Amino acid sequence: MTTMWDPKAEAMSVDERADLQSRRLGALVRRLTERSPFYRRKLADAGVADGAEVGLDDLASLPFTVKQDLWDHYPWGMLTIPRDQVVRVHASSGTGGRPSLVGYSRLDLAMWAEVNARALGCASAVPGTVAHVAYGYGLFTGGLGLHGGAELMGCTVVPASAGQSGRQVRLLRDLHAEILCCTPSYAARLGEVLVEEGIDQGELSLRAGVFGAESWSESMRHQIQAMLPLKALDIYGLSEIIGPGVSCECIEAQAGLHVNEDYFLVEVIDPATGRRLGPGERGELVFTTLTREAMPVLRYRTGDVASLDPTPCVCGRTLTRMSKVFGRIDDMLVIRGVNVYPSEIEAVLVAEPAVGPNYLLVVDRTEAMPRLVVACELTTTIAHDDQREAVGVAVADALAQRLGLATEVQVLPIGTIPRIEVGKAQRVAVRTTDHDPLADWV
C-alpha cells in the first residue's frame, strides 16, 4: 500500500503543479529583485526588468547561479532576510573544493521537515515507525534533515549519528528499527558489523533504508540489500538547495527519485552550452528553490549528472523522477583520453561476487600518461589469498569491457581499506612521486 505524507501535493495533476510552479517562480523573481543586490544585477544583465512578470515559459531566459557565487558572497551576502531572522546555519561537505555556508529561516526549517517527511513516506514510514538516523549531525545536513522529517511525521527517532558501529547494530536489533537512514557506504559497513557481532538478519525489523550523500550504483543497491534485510532507497539533496529531501525513491518502484517539484523546480542542461535537455537525456541537474526564504537560489547548477523522467510512477506520485546521480562533472576522471565516472567502476566491482563494497580508485600521475589503479577487497566468503590473482584478472576484464580502458586491479585481503564511519566515503585518490595512497596498505 502506498504511503504518502501529503497526497494532495505528491499526486497533484501535472497542469495544476505547473500553474503553482509558475506563480511561485514569478514571486521568487520579484523577491530576488527587491531583496538581493546580487540577483538584481544578475537579472538585469539577463534582460529581466524590475517588475517584469516571469513564469515557467521564461525559465530558460533566467540566469544561472553557480557555487562560485556563494563563495564570493560568503558568509551572508546571499541572504534575502535580515540576518537576525536566520535561525540555523548548515554547510556543504565541501565536495566541490570548499564548503558553502547556508542559512535557514523558521519557514525554511518547516519546509525542510515537510519534504523529509515525504521522503520517509516514500520508504513506507508512518507515525510510530522507528527511524534510526545514522547520518552525521552538525553542520552536515544529513542527520538533522531526516531527523526533522521523522519527528514531523511522528516517528520514533533514534538519533544515532555516525560511528560506534557495534552499538549501532545492537540498537537496530534492540529497538526494532524499521527505517535506516545513512550513507550507502555506511550501510555496507553496518552489514559487515552485523556479521562481526554475530547478529542474524532475522533478528532485525528493518524494511527500508534511506541512503544518500554519495553517488551509488544499482549494483551497490543489490549488495546492500544482500547484507541488510531492507529495500535500499536513494535520497538526494544538497545544502545549497535545502539538504536531503529534494527527492527520494519510493519503496514500490525503486526506479527514480521523486522530486518535490512544488518546492524545487528541476531542469537538466547540457553542461557545456547551458541548453535545456529533454526527458531521458543525461546532463547537469539545475534547481530553483521556489519557496526558500533565507537563501533562495535561481537555476543553481549542482554539478551532478542525471536525467529526468516525467512519466507517472506505480506508487501513484505524479512528481517528476530524477535518475540516480551518475557522478559529478568535476569528479569525472580522464584516463588516457577516456572519460570515466567512479560510479561506473563501482557498478563493475560490486557486481563481482568475490569483491566487497570497499574500494579506492587511484589516479597514478607518476608518468606522462595517467593510469588508473583500482584497489578493492575480497569478500568474507573468499577466505584464501591465493584467489586474489584470479579475481583481479576477472575484474580487470570486466572493467575493460565496460570502460574500454585497461586498468591495474589490486585485490587486497578483507579489512585492508580503512572504513569510513563518519562522513562520506573517499573513493578517489591521486598517486604522485611524493605520495602513494596505497603505500601503507600494500
Side-chain angles (χ1 to χ4, degrees):
M1 178 178 171
T2 297
T3 303
M4 293 189 202
W5 171 248
D6 185 353
K8 182 179 179 181
E10 296 174 71
M12 186 182 294
S13 74
V14 173
D15 289 343
E16 186 180 2
R17 183 177 296 116
D19 180 64
L20 176 64
Q21 290 174 322
S22 196
R23 285 186 281 109
R24 286 184 169 177
L25 178 61
L28 171 65
V29 170
R30 287 193 296 274
R31 186 155 57 90
L32 292 175
T33 302
E34 294 168 0
R35 302 184 185 181
S36 170
F38 165 74
Y39 275 116
R40 189 179 305 120
R41 291 191 302 270
K42 292 270 284 190
L43 288 163
D45 291 345
V48 180
D50 284 359
E53 288 298 320
V54 172
L56 278 184
D57 292 341
D58 306 300
L59 183 61
S61 66
L62 300 179
F64 292 112
T65 308
V66 297
K67 188 178 287 288
Q68 186 65 47
D69 295 325
L70 276 63
W71 290 340
D72 290 346
H73 294 80
Y74 176 94
W76 303 119
M78 298 290 285
L79 286 179
T80 56
I81 61 173
R83 210 284 309 149
D84 60 5
Q85 292 180 19
V86 175
V87 296
R88 190 189 298 173
V89 172
H90 280 285
S92 70
S93 62
T95 303
R98 54 176 162 154
S100 302
L101 193 71
V102 289
Y104 296 72
S105 70
R106 291 192 184 281
L107 285 178
D108 292 336
L109 292 180
M111 180 266 284
W112 193 19
E114 164 74 22
V115 295
N116 276 286
R118 293 185 192 179
L120 289 163
C122 282
S124 76
V126 295
T129 293
V130 180
H132 184 106
V133 181
Y135 285 107
Y137 282 63
L139 285 175
F140 175 59
T141 55
L144 286 167
L146 269 300
H147 185 119
E151 283 195 341
L152 177 63
M153 177 173 276
C155 296
T156 301
V157 188
V158 183
S161 192
Q164 302 186 58
S165 300
R167 185 180 72 167
Q168 298 252 12
V169 296
R170 291 190 292 274
L171 285 172
L172 288 171
R173 177 195 62 194
D174 298 346
L175 299 180
H176 301 287
E178 299 157 271
I179 309 292
L180 170 63
C181 306
C182 62
T183 64
S185 58
Y186 193 53
R189 176 60 184 151
L190 291 177
E192 290 181 335
V193 175
L194 202 68
V195 175
E196 294 168 8
E197 295 289 319
I199 299 175
D200 188 85
Q201 287 193 18
E203 298 179 60
L204 301 184
S205 302
L206 291 171
R207 62 174 183 267
V210 180
F211 305 137
E214 301 167 351
S215 297
W216 52 298
S217 64
E218 285 296 321
S219 299
M220 185 70 165
R221 187 204 303 272
H222 297 316
Q223 191 161 56
I224 291 172
Q225 290 179 163
M227 301 174 82
L228 295 169
L230 49 70
K231 283 193 172 184
L233 309 178
D234 200 353
I235 187 171
Y236 176 83
L238 60 166
S239 57
E240 296 90 338
I241 305 304
I242 197 66
V246 173
S247 64
C248 189
E249 286 184 312
C250 63
I251 198 169
E252 292 86 356
Q254 292 179 281
L257 292 77
H258 297 277
V259 180
N260 287 304
E261 295 180 276
D262 48 336
Y263 294 120
F264 314 113
L265 188 57
V266 62
E267 306 168 76
V268 169
I269 65 167
D270 181 324
T273 66
R275 179 179 62 87
R276 295 179 68 187
L277 302 179
E281 294 186 275
R282 186 186 297 192
E284 182 179 3
L285 282 169
V286 173
F287 284 98
T288 296
T289 56
L290 293 173
T291 65
R292 189 167 184 177
E293 245 192 357
M295 290 182 69
V297 288
L298 182 66
R299 303 192 79 195
Y300 182 76
R301 297 184 61 157
T302 66
D304 291 327
V305 178
S307 60
L308 299 178
D309 179 1
T311 61
C313 181
V314 295
C315 71
R317 292 175 178 85
T318 56
L319 300 163
T320 290
R321 285 170 288 161
M322 54 175 272
S323 69
K324 274 182 166 294
V325 172
F326 299 106
R328 289 189 54 79
I329 292 171
D330 50 8
D331 280 351
M332 185 178 71
L333 308 175
V334 182
I335 309 295
R336 299 177 182 264
V338 178
N339 297 339
V340 179
Y341 283 109
S343 58
E344 295 180 283
I345 299 171
E346 178 186 279
V348 172
L349 293 177
V350 298
E352 170 54 58
V355 171
N358 297 288
Y359 64 91
L360 182 72
L361 310 181
V362 179
V363 180
D364 188 334
R365 299 194 182 279
T366 59
E367 300 176 0
M369 292 291 287
R371 297 184 305 119
L372 182 62
V373 181
V374 179
C376 55
E377 291 184 350
L378 296 175
T379 65
T380 53
T381 58
I382 305 296
H384 302 292
D385 277 357
D386 57 6
Q387 295 179 267
R388 286 162 55 186
E389 183 176 351
V391 171
V393 170
V395 170
D397 288 345
L399 287 170
Q401 291 182 16
R402 173 73 176 257
L403 307 176
L405 177 71
T407 60
E408 177 188 336
V409 177
Q410 294 191 17
V411 182
L412 309 174
I414 187 169
T416 303
I417 299 175
R419 279 23 178 188
I420 301 296
E421 299 206 350
V422 179
K424 300 182 182 182
Q426 299 300 310
R427 299 300 198 189
V428 181
V430 177
R431 175 187 288 162
T432 65
T433 54
D434 299 322
H435 173 66
D436 182 356
L438 298 179
D440 295 333
W441 311 344
V442 181

